[in-house]
Amino acid sequence: IIESYVGVDEGAYFCNAVTELIGAADSRADYYRLQREGRSAFHTGTFDADLDRGAHLTAHAVTLGGSLIRNNVHVALNGEGAECVLNGVYLGEGKQHIDNFTEIDHLKPRATSFELYKGIVNGAAHGVFNGKIVVHQDAQKSNARQVNKNLLLSANPVVNTKRQFEIYADDVKCSHGSTIGQLDADALFYLRTRGLGVAEARSLLSFAFAGDVVGRVKVDSLRRQLDDYLAVQFRTV
């Protein structure tokens, strides 16, 4: 399932989208939400999934446009052995505000969740990530991992990140982590010693940072489209 939201830069407008997915027992679903709204657009989107026994969901959220953006993702692992993978990448520049809120409910035993969200912000952009995972009392032997990484391309952008676990079971495996930082000076130096200029080295490292998520896109045409878009965006980094 691929959802694409594309707008023009001719004025402000508001988009409010809701998608609900029900995963039957042993089903598999790949879901993609690509958001490239106009520069003055307001976008709020909700994705809600309920997974039965043995169901598997992979969901990707790609946020590239808009002025004020809020992405809500909620997944209920409502059957034994259900699995979900949440991947996200967001690019902010100018005065964009990009807010990602995710919540995963482990409701039944032996469910698995993995979450990787990456943000790249420049200018005076503001990025927010709030990831919440709740392991309920009956969800024994749950396995949950959450990672949020953010790259600041200048001194002005702001990123707020919050990882939140609520664990009410006593036989689980859970971990989370987050990073906020600028491009690694040693990596830049290494690329420059190989003949790249400063701009080219910064562009290559930024592209690779986002490519960790984009490379997980299974639809070839969509992945190539995103690679081309990112290559153009990072030429001026």
Side-chain angles (χ1 to χ4, degrees), residues 73-96:
V73 177
H74 175 251
V75 179
L77 300 175
N78 207 13
E80 184 171 355
E83 298 181 6
C84 76
V85 177
L86 303 183
N87 295 318
V89 61
Y90 43 99
L91 273 62
E93 61 180 0
K95 295 184 178 180
Q96 280 183 286

Side-chain angles (χ1 to χ4, degrees), residues 72-162:
N72 296 305
V73 177
H74 175 251
V75 179
L77 300 175
N78 207 13
E80 184 171 355
E83 298 181 6
C84 76
V85 177
L86 303 183
N87 295 318
V89 61
Y90 43 99
L91 273 62
E93 61 180 0
K95 295 184 178 180
Q96 280 183 286
H97 180 100
I98 301 173
D99 189 338
N100 287 285
F101 181 88
T102 68
E103 182 174 1
I104 302 173
D105 278 309
H106 284 250
L107 297 164
K108 301 295 182 180
R110 298 178 178 82
T112 302
S113 66
F114 174 74
E115 185 174 5
L116 173 62
Y117 268 66
K118 283 193 167 186
I120 302 177
V121 288
N122 201 358
H126 186 187
V128 178
F129 174 80
N130 188 335
K132 181 179 180 181
I133 297 178
V134 182
V135 181
H136 294 260
Q137 186 174 1
D138 293 336
Q140 301 294 341
K141 299 188 182 301
S142 290
N143 189 349
R145 185 184 177 200
Q146 180 190 90
V147 179
N148 174 234
K149 297 183 178 181
N150 299 276
L151 181 61
L152 309 180
L153 296 182
S154 63
N156 295 321
V158 176
V159 170
N160 300 111
T161 179
K162 178 183 179 183

